Amino acid sequence: MLNIGLMKKNAIEKEIEKLRQEINLHNYRYYVLDNPVISDAGYDKLMRRLEELEAKCPRLITPDSPTQRIGAKPLEAFGTITHTTPMLSLDNAFRVEEANEFDDRIKKLLKISQESEVRGREIEYVAEPKIDGLAIELVYEDGRFVAGSTRGDGYTGEDVTQNLKTIRSIPMRLFQIQKPAPAGIKQGAGVRSQESEITYPIPSRLEVRGEVFLPLKVFEKINKERAKSGEPLFANPRNAAAGSLRQLDPRITASRPLDIFCYGVGVVEGVKFKTHWETLDALKVFGLKTNPLIKKCNGIETVLSYHKEMESGRDNLPYEVDGIVIKVNDIELQDRLGLRTRNPRWAVAYKFKPRQETTKIKNIEIGVGRTGALTPVAIMEPVEVGGVTIERATLHNQDEIDRKDVKVGDTVVVQRAGDVIPEVVMVIKEKRTGKEKPYRIPEKCPLCNANVERIGAIYYCTGGLSCPAQVKETIKHFASKRAMNIEGLGHKHIEQFVDDGFIKDVADLYYLKKEDLLKLERWADKSAENLIVAIEGSKRPTLPKLIYALGIRQVGEHMAHVLAEEFGSLEGIMKTDKEILLTIHEIGPETAEGVYDFFQEPHNIKVIEKLKKAGVVFPQMKKTSGKLSGKTFIFTGTLSSFSRDEAKELVEKQGGATASGISKKIDYVVAGAEPGSKYDEAKRMGLKIITEEEFERLLKG
Ligand code: IVH
């Protein structure tokens, strides 16, 4: 690198330009393609050099320089920007009938009726994930980002240019990406699309519309920090994104990494697009970020299955999606269909089942967990959330109740995501009448009347295994699928057995006799026989499963594997002490204490002896690193030879790990039949995708 002092102005200008192009390219690779080719240190070096040169020649600083993304001074207030064409909103469809009605309406308006000669012709749609964030507009003039605004009332929005600049996936200059993308990015004339042979010149004016959102990971992190500092939490990523974008101080926006998906255009000067698909293709070519899951669909049926697929895969996405948007692809047809007041007739939002609802808390009850932890549970007026009726939601602990200021009688927002336990998100204070009652966790366990003690944020029942709730939960855990996997032994049965005094600990399960069961209500010859067979069949667990089943504090499935690998047998773990445990990678003081204390407890030793006597096999495990050690797998689609759980178990048996969400850490994506959205994500990220047959070959080594 040259010494700046000796450089000619011209050379500085050239180097600045080259650095900007290079940095822009790396931003694109990192933030749009999620596929960086430079180290953080390498990137920082380029930035520092650019800063250095710009400091030397401040007149060369342009507003679109990568150095100008943050650092602008806080504003007094936002200015306003009038949209050249209004930013429309969408009609909603909630049920499949409504989506079909949308299609019928379009066909009717376009006179594609049953009788006409184009009978049976299907409309070509583009189906897109509906991102739950906030709509914005970006304006590019001659390829340079000049202004950005919120949707506002559709006609006029707030000028959030400074804040949008902090979003790294928004290019400050439009790129011109040529095949093979993205290595051959050039700044010059005609651009070749990745979809077709059409070239797109950079428009003299381009208004891009898109959705700014907060990735779920960032949302969770922000809420955690807010909880710590006693600030009110954001109810959902959309509110958090809005709160972050509408900050007068751009440095606050910059500290909350927002992202964007572009999904349309306003006024475009200098280029004309024939279809929406082509528009999206051009945006992509210009280096703007579009959603990789957008799909062209011929006919409404294809759209409906897209909706289904997206809804079932929504939990695997790193951002919140609240439905799909269906758009007529052909822009001439769009124009013929036109608008209905504020909504286009050519598009509709077909929503997923909402995950948040409001309801009223009737009462707060206490649940006692396996470890004796008392969890306050809100008993609510039943509501449907995400397609399931719920009437109980966790309030986590007393601190959460206090922080959210939840009282009995409050109207609250509840939420449910996938298999996660429903939770109370926040109170709608405007609905208070004054009759609401504050709540405190009792001082005695409501189930066994033992004293309650507080450790950290959690209250524990001190009754141990004399507390029937703890006994029941311990047995439920022991018998569960991922532990000893006793099929057909439901929670209701376990409660019945404990309540009727048939079993007092997990080992008693193996001493149950068919005759005993037949004495109980609801048991018949066949069901009793089946259960006894299932219990018998659970006597040969793998070592990690056995360890996990015991319900040792701090020992989840992963830790059970670590312990099994390290000690090779249960006896080995029983004999060890805290110091040795602490030398093992991944084991911290709390886990070491949990493991050590468990085996100091005479009751636990007695139960282990009883299990052995009953014929439960305590396996030995050879300390192998396994064929798949160090490799992480993820599964998508249906496998023909195994269930998901079986496949995962096989991987783990050979020392490999499995993941539930797509990330760069994954070594193999195993794609079965009809793979879901993970497949597309994996493809986009360039991960190694293998077939079930290839997976089987890997297992065999
Ligand atoms: S298209 C004329 N596409 O949903 C079309 N909107 O009321 C206008 N949204 O305000 C919107 N993802 O904030 C479109 N792929 C997508 C979208 C999307 C999210 C939001 C946007 C809009 C609202 C619909």
Side-chain angles (χ1 to χ4, degrees), residues 88-90 128-131 134-135 151 211 263 325 327 344 346:
L88 305 170
S89 58
L90 296 171
E128 312 181 354
K130 183 172 183 303
I131 312 295
L134 65 152
R151 176 168 174 271
E211 194 84 351
Y263 55 65
V325 181
K327 301 174 181 175
W346 47 265

Side-chain angles (χ1 to χ4, degrees), residues 202-415:
I202 295 278
S204 50
R205 183 181 177 85
L206 175 69
E207 297 175 357
V208 182
R209 276 138 190 214
E211 194 84 351
V212 164
F213 64 94
L214 204 59
L216 290 172
K217 280 234 166 73
V218 185
F219 165 69
E220 280 151 20
K221 196 172 138 235
I222 292 176
N223 261 354
K224 234 181 230 159
E225 284 165 8
R226 288 173 80 90
K228 237 192 221 156
S229 63
E231 287 171 90
L233 301 195
F234 288 119
N236 51 49
R238 174 166 35 91
N239 292 358
S244 306
L245 191 65
R246 297 185 64 262
Q247 280 290 335
L248 291 167
D249 185 352
R251 277 165 302 188
I252 299 183
T253 312
S255 72
R256 297 184 185 163
L258 292 160
D259 205 344
I260 190 170
F261 282 122
C262 301
Y263 55 65
V265 293
V267 165
V268 185
E269 283 166 10
V271 201
K272 214 165 167 50
F273 301 119
K274 281 205 183 64
T275 61
H276 179 59
W277 189 253
E278 191 185 61
T279 312
L280 293 172
D281 184 42
L283 295 182
K284 228 185 302 176
V285 167
F286 294 151
L288 289 151
K289 187 162 173 173
T290 55
N291 191 297
L293 304 174
I294 295 179
K295 206 176 145 192
K296 190 150 67 176
C297 300
N298 193 29
I300 195 72
E301 280 306 320
T302 322
V303 174
L304 298 181
S305 36
Y306 177 85
H307 181 273
K308 221 185 226 164
E309 201 184 309
M310 292 293 302
E311 183 157 21
S312 64
R314 68 196 291 205
D315 290 327
N316 300 323
L317 293 174
Y319 43 84
E320 183 73 12
V321 174
D322 62 345
I324 66 166
V325 181
I326 315 173
K327 301 174 181 175
V328 170
N329 189 25
D330 188 319
I331 291 174
E332 198 195 299
L333 294 188
Q334 286 186 2
D335 291 342
R336 270 171 61 193
L337 290 162
L339 307 183
R340 199 176 55 190
T341 36
R342 314 262 327 256
N343 305 332
R345 284 204 190 85
W346 47 265
V348 72
Y350 179 13
K351 296 294 218 39
F352 297 152
K353 296 184 189 79
R355 303 215 238 219
Q356 288 192 337
E357 272 311 336
T358 59
T359 182
K360 210 165 153 183
I361 297 186
K362 294 195 292 194
N363 195 8
I364 296 178
E365 284 179 2
I366 288 291
V368 181
R370 178 160 59 82
T371 58
L374 305 189
T375 308
V377 180
I379 311 299
M380 309 164 306
E381 285 170 6
V383 265
E384 200 187 297
V385 188
V388 179
T389 302
I390 59 169
E391 46 194 323
R392 302 164 72 83
T394 179
L395 288 160
H396 300 291
N397 56 51
Q398 185 72 49
D399 286 354
E400 287 277 300
I401 294 179
D402 295 345
R403 199 173 44 69
K404 290 174 184 160
D405 188 21
V406 178
K407 296 180 181 172
V408 174
D410 266 333
T411 301
V412 292
V413 175
V414 284
Q415 118 183 329

